Amino acid sequence: MDSMYTVNDLKSYSDILEEGKEYIIYNDDVMTLRYYSNYILVKEPISQEVFQHARLLYLGQQHRHDVPFEAYLVQDKAMTPDLREWFMSRDFTISKNLVMKINSKDYLELINTNLKIEEVTEDDVEAFNDFACDDELARLFGEDYRIQKREFYKKIITLPESTLLKGTLNGDIAGYCIMNDCGTHFEIDELYANPEYRNIRVASTLQTYIMKHADGKDVILAADDDDTPKVMYEKQGYTLESTFYEVIDNDKN
């Protein structure tokens, strides 16, 4: 029987600060504001006392005041009633996320033949950053986030297991994503379609490129339970593999 993919199977681009049976603390001194950069991954049911210990370790290694406390809890089993009550008593933000899966052989190819899929390299990463680091999130989160995103994409193209892809039409970037070869499976991260080029199969063409590289392996991605893309993935044949919870305390006190 195949094992279930969880948030623990998603690619982390950060270093491990500490790892125990119940949790892993991830840290990235450069990309402090991006999700999946500085966080606690709770893998198993955990007591409030052990969680607090991990939280204090996490906070102790943060040197910037603007880094929120962030944790990801695998499945319902890690979100114990005691922890949920404690999170709610402190007014933490709790959101539900999904890990979705498809076997690459089962993906229905819907491509835009005019879209050119290319890997971003050192030669063109600055031009790519001029576009990608001025998206909706970058404008929302401010200049620090933009600067860090530029460094993040520069880091991505140096990782042997990660490939930064862009899709262009007439020289313009119509969309991009990160393809992670995780060994047993592939992952799609940061799938993005330029609003000026939506509804012309930009996202599906990028996915088709990845499915061909996956060559029969499973492909997974994370989706917000409340976001519209979840419906798109379901129509494409992805199925729900597991759930996880994101917990954020922007106050950090």
Side-chain angles (χ1 to χ4, degrees):
M1 181 176 180
D2 295 335
S3 60
M4 178 181 291
Y5 297 102
T6 72
V7 63
N8 197 31
D9 295 300
L10 300 174
K11 167 71 176 173
S12 175
Y13 309 100
S14 301
D15 299 323
I16 294 177
L17 180 68
E18 179 173 310
E19 182 171 6
K21 178 183 177 182
E22 299 98 342
Y23 63 85
I24 305 174
I25 302 178
Y26 287 98
N27 177 60
D28 187 329
D29 289 331
V30 175
M31 194 66 213
T32 60
L33 300 177
R34 183 185 184 272
Y35 59 91
Y36 304 139
S37 289
N38 294 273
Y39 63 101
I40 300 173
L41 172 63
V42 182
K43 301 180 291 182
E44 300 289 343
I46 191 172
S47 69
Q48 183 178 319
E49 290 75 20
V50 174
F51 185 88
Q52 275 283 56
H53 170 75
R55 180 174 179 268
L56 290 174
L57 284 175
Y58 170 98
L59 294 176
Q61 54 83 34
Q62 299 293 352
H63 303 294
R64 292 174 53 124
H65 70 278
D66 57 354
V67 179
F69 168 71
E70 193 165 20
Y72 293 92
L73 293 91
V74 178
Q75 298 279 89
D76 294 330
K77 66 178 183 178
M79 180 66 84
T80 64
D82 287 345
L83 272 183
R84 180 182 288 276
E85 183 178 349
W86 185 72
F87 292 146
M88 295 180 67
S89 71
R90 297 182 63 89
D91 203 26
F92 285 14
T93 300
I94 304 174
S95 57
K96 185 178 180 181
N97 296 273
L98 315 173
V99 176
M100 306 191 76
K101 178 193 79 173
I102 191 170
N103 187 274
S104 53
K105 295 184 296 184
D106 298 331
Y107 186 79
L108 178 62
E109 293 187 14
L110 294 171
I111 64 173
N112 183 329
T113 56
N114 294 316
L115 189 71
K116 185 178 181 181
I117 307 298
E118 301 174 288
E119 295 184 14
V120 178
T121 67
E122 291 183 2
D123 293 333
D124 59 359
V125 68
E126 292 295 350
F128 172 83
N129 274 335
D130 289 341
F131 169 79
C133 297
D134 192 35
D135 62 10
E136 295 96 327
L137 280 177
R139 290 191 289 271
L140 175 65
F141 291 131
E143 188 61 24
D144 271 2
Y145 185 82
R146 293 187 202 210
I147 292 171
Q148 291 186 22
K149 285 280 276 187
R150 296 186 80 95
E151 294 304 313
F152 172 70
Y153 291 127
K154 289 179 184 178
K155 177 180 179 179
I156 288 297
I157 63 174
T158 69
L159 300 177
E161 68 275 18
S162 300
T163 306
L164 182 56
L165 299 171
K166 64 177 180 179
T168 59
L169 282 172
N170 302 317
D172 294 333
I173 296 178
Y176 63 87
C177 68
I178 299 170
M179 174 177 69
N180 290 318
D181 182 348
C182 302
T184 58
H185 62 280
F186 275 64
E187 179 199 353
I188 299 173
D189 192 13
E190 292 206 356
L191 182 60
Y192 177 81
N194 185 341
E196 296 180 13
Y197 292 99
R198 285 181 180 160
N199 300 315
I200 59 168
R201 297 181 175 174
V202 171
S204 60
T205 303
L206 284 163
Q207 289 177 85
T208 297
Y209 181 95
I210 294 173
M211 300 299 167
K212 290 180 178 179
H213 277 72
D215 192 24
K217 292 183 178 180
D218 290 335
V219 177
I220 66 172
L221 51 77
D224 190 315
D225 190 39
D226 294 326
D227 278 355
T228 303
K230 176 188 69 171
V231 178
M232 177 190 76
Y233 297 136
E234 290 172 342
K235 289 180 179 178
Q236 292 174 326
Y238 288 84
T239 57
L240 175 63
E241 185 73 352
S242 64
T243 62
F244 64 98
Y245 292 91
E246 177 185 22
V247 179
I248 297 178
D249 176 18
N250 288 291
D251 186 31
K252 292 203 311 164
N253 294 320

